[in-house]
Amino acid sequence: METLTEQIFHLSSSADFEAAALRVFAYQYAYNSVYHAYCQHIGVQAKSVRTISDIPFLPISLFRTHDVVTGDFLPELTFRSSGTTGMERSRHLVKDAGLYRKSLTESFRYFYGEPSDYVFLALLPNYVEQRNSSLVYMMDVLMHESGAPENGYYLYNHEDMYKMLLQLRDNHKKTILWGVTFALLDFVEHYTLDFPQLIVFETGGMKGRRKEMVKEELYRILQKAFGVTDIHSEYGMCELLSQAYSKGGNVFATPPWMRLRLRSEKDPFDGSDTTDTGAINVVDLANVHSCSFIATEDLGRRSRDGIEVLGRLDHSQIRGCSLMVL
């Protein structure tokens, strides 16, 4: 698989992507015991998989109960999903930290250019406080690639962040603010600024701190408070190595080695990607040492520019997707 891991960042067509996906499937079917057992459980044999639509997607819930790894290795990184106290958290064992760094930096470059062009501010109190966050690791990498002395994390010191934002605005520095939803809302209750060039990333998550609200209302509040025209977002998770990005409207596009596909809400094994609204399946070819084919618990709608993420599936839909408990 070493040759493939080098090639996935140079895919130039849909045919290249499908050929690479089929190679990764064959490898993971053979050497990932959890994925192999799941395929067997739903009656899928390797020889029956001839197109990407035939590839089974592993329910993301299995990362909470199993080590989903391809091959036998000692992980260089271990990521855990965010969650409240007592909640069962997913675990992702990462064989190659360098592969993750390459995937996240190349994903960022694909949509935003060089990290060295930006200052990164991170308002991520709950992620920093919990250990083994893939998002915090991603911020560490982007800040390192940036090299800007103004880069930094902020927990609840909102006044310090406000002063830094004013300084960066007045010095005409290209700036990205990455914030968890409840923390951004806490900030804008007390501070507003007119910084049209600022890129604000909303990561999602109230984590029980605030009442949930529809995205349109959330974005309206944040746009007004920061003086920006759009709110950006990143669709990633601890179980993956790649990220999709939204530059507005909660519609996500993917880098060339990643795809978001929609499965029928009524058929958890639907791989056709023909529905306009359905549950989101993710193909992440960089995730070659874990599982590249993940059935998420998120709902999406097809758009001209990508996939709009609508929110979480309800419990009955998730149970329907979980016939696969091994």
Side-chain angles (χ1 to χ4, degrees), residues 6 22 93 104 122 124 154 156 186 189 195 233 271 279:
E6 296 168 2
L22 290 171
L93 304 180
L104 73 87
L124 304 170
Y154 294 84
Y156 304 99
D186 288 348
E189 279 189 348
F195 193 170
S233 192

Side-chain angles (χ1 to χ4, degrees), residues 52-99:
I52 197 169
S53 296
D54 299 326
I55 295 175
F57 285 79
L58 186 75
I60 199 167
S61 59
L62 290 178
F63 280 84
R64 300 180 195 132
T65 55
H66 296 72
D67 288 337
V68 183
V69 296
T70 301
D72 184 17
F73 57 82
L74 292 175
E76 293 185 358
L77 299 169
T78 299
F79 293 134
R80 289 189 178 275
S81 61
S82 60
T84 56
T85 302
M87 180 181 182
E88 193 173 33
R89 297 166 64 192
S90 295
R91 185 169 81 153
H92 185 188
L93 304 180
V94 179
K95 178 181 180 180
D96 184 353
L99 178 60

